Amino acid sequence: MLNKLPFTTKEKLEEIAKVYPTPFYLYDEAGIRKNCEDLYKAFSWNKGFREYFAVKATPNPFLMKILAEYGCGCDCSSLTELMLSKAIGAKDDAIMFSSNDTPTEEFEYAAKLGAIINLDDFTQIEILEKTLGYIPKKLCLRYNPGGVFKISNHIMDNPGDAKFGMTTEQLFDAFAILKEKGVEEFGIHAFLASNTVTNNYYPTLARTLFEVAVELRDKFGVKISFINLSGGIGIPYRPDQPSNDIFEIAEGVKREYDSILTANGMGDVAIYTELGRYMLAPYGALITRVINFKHTHKEYVGVDACAVNLMRPAMYGAYHHITVMGKENDENEKMYDIVGSLCENNDKFAIDRWLPDIQIGDLLFIHDAGAHGFSMGYNYNGKLKSAEILLKPDGSFELIRRAETPEDYFSTFDCFDIYDKIF
């Protein structure tokens, strides 16, 4: 029987639930640290390597500070993400600001922090210069070659339909203009496929960017100091999927680096990554308790979490493996839909899922929710976001974000005298 194993036990979850009621997010500190160590070890061949954690994936300062201990920077796409990065002590080139459709005040704040600004569009050159009154000496440009992105004959994604990045012609024009405006160091960035479960994605992407970098250097005589491979390295959400091997991935990038960059006198270019899902998704879980059953046309199991807590299944039809805690070795003998209480029919964590016999009070461990989980939450139906808890290597646990309260939900109605009417 193919399965995924939780990173904790039923006994530990019950211990935590006595202090912090379900639903809650739980993160595995030991797993996060080991993953960071492996990433940096895999890319240790590149002197300037740095991971810029995609803050949007899991914007929690406690987790961001753990990543920062290993040298990770912060990849930000909004004002509040920049502010959060500043709050954990990140500054200067430890912050990459990769936004699109960007309000001018966000460019101002990013420049104030000394962040590396990653321009998404050719028109942003003029906007940035008018906003700041100058052009930074160091800039990154986001590239989108268009078309479809293939590995061998397999289509991985369709960059031509993506709103992000500059065309090849725009990229070259931007380099020419920015050189004239005094930019001294350039970076190139691209994100061409999402959640890939193949060791060939990064090397294939790297080859594309390395070849463009050599051409740009030769044409304009510019200094390209880094190439940002962005994210896109995925995780195996399903138990029958193979895992990516970060060491094999890094070795594949090195082969392309040596054959293209080093061979053309560019062996000092730093490699950056911008991983979010890969860094944290497997090391976070949504913990929820069974509270209801409904026996109609199907067997429905109602839990105390809903799509507010984890919207990926509702939004994308995404698969998240589910373990019934304490029944890890039991046969999957019954078919269920695991549902929340939202007034929406897509509020389902699993559809037609074979699981062990479930009883009221059982704890469910919803796997691989450590990235794009809590961060995508919302308040539809007046539902409140859950707590986030860090499970430490010694078995202790720490609250790293409290659960929302009704007072939080109503706090932005200060233009309406709601407190006297409710509380």
Side-chain angles (χ1 to χ4, degrees):
M1 178 176 65
L2 293 171
N3 211 345
K4 278 177 174 277
L5 295 177
F7 54 72
T8 190
T9 64
K10 176 184 177 182
E11 291 72 25
K12 177 58 66 176
L13 293 182
E14 291 289 6
E15 178 187 349
I16 296 171
K18 288 179 181 178
V19 182
Y20 305 111
T22 56
F24 56 79
Y25 270 83
L26 186 68
Y27 300 95
D28 176 23
E29 181 177 347
I32 292 169
R33 290 185 178 277
K34 177 63 165 59
N35 196 45
C36 278
E37 291 171 2
D38 285 348
L39 175 67
Y40 272 86
K41 187 182 298 182
F43 281 94
S44 61
W45 55 266
N46 183 258
K47 184 178 180 180
F49 174 77
R50 189 170 213 169
E51 154 67 2
Y52 285 84
F53 173 65
V55 176
K56 62 181 174 288
T58 319
N60 187 295
F62 289 85
L63 302 178
M64 292 164 63
K65 289 189 75 171
I66 291 174
L67 300 179
E69 290 180 29
Y70 295 86
C72 295
C74 301
D75 176 75
C76 302
S77 57
S78 70
L79 178 63
T80 49
E81 289 179 2
L82 287 167
M83 295 170 74
L84 185 56
S85 299
K86 180 187 177 184
I88 70 160
K91 60 182 179 179
D92 299 331
D93 64 359
I95 302 175
M96 182 79 64
F97 183 50
S98 301
S99 64
N100 69 94
D101 189 23
T102 309
T104 55
E105 60 268 23
E106 297 191 2
F107 278 139
E108 290 175 342
Y109 192 72
K112 181 180 178 181
L113 297 182
I116 300 171
I117 294 176
N118 183 17
L119 293 181
D120 177 69
D121 183 57
F122 183 82
T123 62
Q124 289 183 336
I125 297 173
E126 182 179 358
I127 293 170
L128 184 65
E129 186 170 30
K130 285 183 177 179
T131 300
L132 303 182
Y134 65 93
I135 288 288
K137 297 296 184 183
K138 186 176 185 178
L139 274 179
C140 185
L141 303 181
R142 186 166 186 170
Y143 177 47
N144 183 338
V148 296
F149 182 76
K150 294 182 178 181
I151 296 178
S152 298
N153 292 320
H154 181 62
I155 295 176
M156 303 300 294
D157 218 323
N158 189 355
D161 279 346
K163 69 174 182 175
F164 308 106
M166 305 181 195
T167 67
T168 303
E169 182 180 12
Q170 289 171 339
L171 181 71
F172 277 73
D173 287 347
F175 264 76
I177 291 170
L178 290 169
K179 180 188 178 184
E180 289 299 314
K181 290 182 178 293
V183 175
E184 297 173 356
E185 289 186 67
F186 287 88
I188 307 173
H189 167 283
F191 181 90
L192 301 186
S194 179
N195 193 33
T196 63
V197 188
T198 168
N199 295 325
N200 293 325
Y201 169 60
Y202 254 18
T204 305
L205 170 63
R207 184 186 315 125
T208 298
L209 292 181
F210 295 166
E211 289 173 348
V212 169
V214 172
E215 191 174 351
L216 286 164
R217 190 277 313 264
D218 290 347
K219 185 175 180 65
F220 300 112
V222 293
K223 170 66 176 177
I224 297 178
S225 58
F226 67 88
I227 292 176
N228 187 340
L229 301 178
S230 190
I233 297 179
I235 63 164
Y237 283 99
R238 295 178 180 272
D240 57 347
Q241 287 181 292
S243 297
N244 283 319
D245 183 335
I246 197 62
F247 291 96
E248 184 175 335
I249 290 169
E251 183 58 32
V253 174
K254 184 178 187 300
R255 285 193 298 270
E256 301 296 341
Y257 188 100
D258 290 342
S259 67
I260 300 171
L261 293 183
T262 303
N264 283 278
M266 297 177 66
D268 60 345
V269 174
I271 297 299
Y272 294 162
T273 58
E274 189 185 287
L275 301 166
R277 189 191 319 267
Y278 179 82
M279 297 304 294
L280 290 187
Y283 313 107
L286 175 60
I287 311 302
T288 182
R289 196 180 293 278
V290 175
I291 59 173
N292 285 303
F293 281 102
K294 184 175 183 179
H295 313 287
T296 55
H297 302 290
K298 303 180 77 172
E299 289 295 303
Y300 293 103
V301 173
V303 296
D304 57 9
C306 62
V308 159
N309 307 106
L310 177 63
M311 73 182 298
R312 293 187 74 255
M315 185 175 185
Y316 302 121
Y319 179 96
H320 281 264
H321 200 66
I322 296 175
T323 295
V324 184
M325 298 304 292
K327 303 178 182 180
E328 292 87 341
N329 297 317
D330 290 5
E331 289 295 321
N332 294 329
E333 61 185 62
K334 292 188 177 180
M335 181 184 288
Y336 300 106
D337 280 16
I338 309 297
V339 304
S341 59
L342 292 188
C343 297
E344 296 292 339
N345 195 44
N346 65 351
D347 181 22
K348 299 175 180 180
F349 295 111
I351 298 173
D352 295 336
R353 185 78 57 89
W354 287 98
L355 292 166
D357 179 61
I358 294 177
Q359 301 296 322
I360 298 290
D362 279 346
L363 285 172
L364 304 187
F365 184 104
I366 303 180
H367 292 254
D368 301 318
H372 308 289
F374 181 95
S375 66
M376 295 178 73
Y378 54 104
N379 289 118
Y380 181 61
N381 276 175
K383 296 293 185 178
L384 304 175
K385 295 179 184 177
S386 53
E388 292 181 293
I389 299 163
L390 181 64
L391 179 62
K392 296 178 172 293
D394 64 2
S396 63
F397 52 91
E398 178 183 7
L399 182 69
I400 59 174
R401 190 195 303 260
R402 66 168 175 80
E404 286 184 335
T405 65
E407 288 86 351
D408 294 321
Y409 180 78
F410 292 119
S411 64
T412 53
F413 289 119
D414 51 6
C415 53
F416 181 79
D417 190 16
I418 199 165
Y419 284 90
D420 291 341
K421 295 176 171 60
I422 297 178
F423 299 108

